[in-house]
Amino acid sequence: MLKAGALYFSIIVAFLIAVICASLIMLAAHYRGSYLKEMRMARLSRNMDSGIAYVLAENENTSDSLKGLDLFGDQTDSVLIEKKKWGIFTLATVKSFVQADTIRRSFMMGLETTNDAMVLYLSDEDRPLSVSGDTRITGNAEVPKAGMRKSYVESRPYSGDQLVYGKISDSKRTLGGLEKKWITEIEEKLDFDPSALPILTAGDEQVSFFTPAKEFDVSGFAKMNRSLSGHITLYSDTVVKISADAKLDNTVIYAKAIVVADGFKGNCQLFARDSITVGNNVVLSYPSVLGLVSKEKMVDQAKVVLGNDVLFNGIIFSYEPKRSALQTLVALGENTIVKGEVYVTGLLKLAKKVKVEGKVSCNRFIMQTPTTLYENFLVDVTLNRKARNRVYLTSAIFTGVSGSKKILRWEK
């Protein structure tokens, strides 16, 4: 005969067994859910990689778009791709999703330049290029048919043993040119009336690239001293003065004229109609841009002027729709270093001890001494294509660029 306590004991044991079984079932379900989630995330990551590869494989000058792709045609692997211009680079956002699960990445793209060994392009105006002092040109150069020669300037001869440490070939009458669709978009931004936009308020602004861009009117600002980061565009129909205290990260500015104060440090793309003036001891990090897009029949000379001891990383360019008697001017002050490219549809003025680690293209060089203005003379300047960083990427705004697309910068 069983004791009465045995029934109670069996109930307890059954309960414990049920709890253990339920725990095992829940644990199995949890691990199964985690495994399936991990598999979905791995699938999303693969789809994201496929979407990024698709964007990088497209022609850089294809139109901006919002495009949805079914990667494998089974309605389960989808990516959404959005492309737009951000200054002179392309900004892409790729979203990979399976049902409610989504991951996304945003990035700027550029074109690799490893196959371009050109350090200097000087348009053929039937004038030779003269070099003097401690000038060094390293890389391939295209110069006028009149050639190159060693010269004395201020009683100093050329100290090198070669005119160019690379190949020399003949240039053409004109520069390679800029892509019209990029210039047209910049002109539209520069001619845009900002009065309908909200005025930038006090305080910091940080805008994610996963959200629509914020646009502000800064026409009435005496001085720009804000901290701005991300998906922000500023417009002005007058002069924008950027203070040394301002903090700009990937900000794009369109204005009639722009002045950057001495000692400023930041990363931005600046575009102007009349002039861009950069003070002394300024540091602009990669990929910064100074773009001057002038109009026809300008009263004053459109120009970009960099002060002394400037460190610039990126692209400097000037453009005029039709070559005028008063061509655009880019001037680089003493001890200024440019790591990237300088493209001038006009005159390039180089002070002594200027260094360009990359590529220079212009119609004519000028140099001013206390007594004389020299044309097509290079004195104590360094142009070195080989010194440019191997991971440097250029913009598709330049015609004839054939490098493959790469990711220039990841955005948040």
Side-chain angles (χ1 to χ4, degrees):
M1 174 181 276
L2 295 175
K3 295 182 179 181
L7 179 60
Y8 177 76
F9 180 76
S10 64
I11 292 173
I12 296 297
V13 172
F15 176 75
L16 292 175
I17 293 173
V19 169
I20 293 172
C21 291
S23 299
L24 290 173
I25 293 172
M26 292 179 63
L27 187 62
H30 171 73
Y31 278 108
R32 174 179 169 79
S34 298
Y35 172 75
L36 292 176
K37 183 178 180 180
E38 183 179 346
M39 292 297 293
R40 286 198 304 273
M41 292 306 297
R43 187 171 186 173
L44 286 171
S45 296
R46 290 194 299 270
N47 292 347
M48 172 63 68
D49 292 340
S50 298
I52 293 174
Y54 179 88
V55 173
L56 295 176
E58 279 190 316
N59 187 293
E60 179 67 357
N61 286 313
T62 56
S63 59
D64 300 342
S65 61
L66 177 64
K67 182 185 300 183
L69 296 177
D70 180 15
L71 293 175
F72 306 111
D74 56 7
Q75 306 299 315
T76 58
D77 298 279
S78 301
V79 293
L80 187 65
I81 299 171
E82 182 179 9
K83 286 199 319 177
K84 60 182 287 188
K85 292 181 178 63
W86 189 246
I88 62 169
F89 297 100
T90 300
L91 177 69
T93 300
V94 179
K95 181 188 294 184
S96 170
F97 57 94
V98 175
Q99 297 177 354
D101 295 321
T102 303
I103 59 174
R104 57 188 180 177
R105 301 296 301 270
S106 184
F107 52 93
M108 284 172 58
M109 296 180 292
L111 299 175
E112 64 177 359
T113 61
T114 52
N115 293 329
D116 181 13
M118 189 73 63
V119 65
L120 169 63
Y121 184 95
L122 178 63
S123 298
D124 190 350
E125 295 183 324
D126 299 321
R127 308 179 187 199
L129 175 62
S130 300
V131 291
S132 178
D134 295 327
T135 293
R136 294 293 182 272
I137 302 174
T138 304
N140 297 339
E142 292 190 20
V143 299
K145 293 182 178 64
M148 296 182 65
R149 64 188 182 189
K150 301 178 182 180
S151 298
Y152 281 79
V153 173
E154 297 179 333
S155 301
R156 294 184 60 212
Y158 178 62
S159 62
D161 54 6
Q162 294 179 226
L163 292 172
V164 174
Y165 294 84
K167 297 179 180 179
I168 301 177
S169 55
D170 294 337
S171 62
K172 299 179 181 179
R173 290 285 183 179
T174 58
L175 298 175
L178 302 175
E179 290 288 346
K180 185 61 179 175
K181 62 180 297 183
W182 290 83
I183 294 298
T184 299
E185 179 150 335
I186 295 172
E187 288 178 325
E188 291 174 354
K189 299 283 189 180
L190 288 170
D191 295 335
F192 175 71
D193 182 4
S195 59
L197 297 176
I199 296 174
L200 182 65
T201 57
D204 300 345
E205 286 280 353
Q206 296 183 348
V207 182
S208 171
F209 279 90
F210 297 120
T211 61
K214 286 189 176 182
E215 299 179 325
F216 297 102
D217 178 12
V218 294
S219 300
F221 279 57
K223 186 178 292 186
M224 172 64 58
N225 56 6
R226 303 290 196 273
S227 177
L228 307 175
S229 175
H231 211 182
I232 299 173
T233 306
L234 306 181
Y235 295 87
S236 174
D237 55 11
T238 57
V239 180
V240 173
K241 296 181 179 180
I242 302 175
S243 167
D245 299 326
K247 299 184 184 301
L248 303 181
D249 181 22
N250 210 4
T251 305
V252 180
I253 302 178
Y254 298 93
K256 184 177 181 180
I258 300 174
V259 178
V260 181
D262 294 351
F264 170 79
K265 296 181 180 180
N267 172 264
C268 49
Q269 297 189 58
L270 309 179
F271 301 93
R273 280 291 195 190
D274 294 349
S275 66
I276 300 175
T277 304
V278 178
N280 302 323
N281 300 297
V282 170
V283 177
L284 288 167
S285 60
Y286 179 75
S288 290
V289 176
L290 302 179
L292 181 72
V293 180
S294 69
K295 292 183 177 181
E296 289 188 50
K297 300 179 181 179
M298 295 280 288
V299 176
D300 298 320
Q301 186 178 35
K303 56 188 176 182
V304 178
V305 179
L306 277 66
N308 300 330
D309 301 294
V310 173
L311 176 57
F312 180 86
N313 296 269
I315 296 172
I316 302 172
F317 76 92
S318 71
Y319 169 83
E320 59 179 351
K322 186 177 180 180
R323 186 165 178 172
S324 61
L326 200 62
Q327 300 181 58
T328 61
L329 168 71
V330 172
L332 307 183
E334 288 189 11
N335 297 307
T336 286
I337 300 174
V338 175
K339 298 182 178 182
E341 295 172 76
V342 181
Y343 176 97
V344 189
T345 54
L347 313 177
L348 178 56
K349 183 178 181 181
L350 301 179
K352 292 183 179 181
K353 298 181 181 180
V354 166
K355 294 182 180 180
V356 178
E357 297 179 1
K359 183 178 180 179
V360 169
S361 304
C362 65
N363 287 336
R364 191 186 312 163
F365 289 106
I366 60 174
M367 179 191 171
Q368 181 75 57
T369 68
T371 58
T372 310
L373 176 66
Y374 294 92
E375 293 190 346
N376 278 1
F377 273 72
L378 295 177
V379 182
D380 294 337
V381 301
T382 301
L383 309 179
N384 192 337
R385 170 62 182 84
K386 295 182 179 179
R388 189 166 71 189
N389 196 307
R390 292 184 179 181
V391 299
Y392 171 86
L393 300 177
T394 190
S395 167
I397 193 172
F398 300 111
T399 58
V401 180
S402 58
S404 59
K405 285 195 296 184
K406 301 290 183 181
I407 294 174
L408 186 152
R409 165 174 167 159
W410 293 104
E411 305 294 354
K412 298 180 180 179

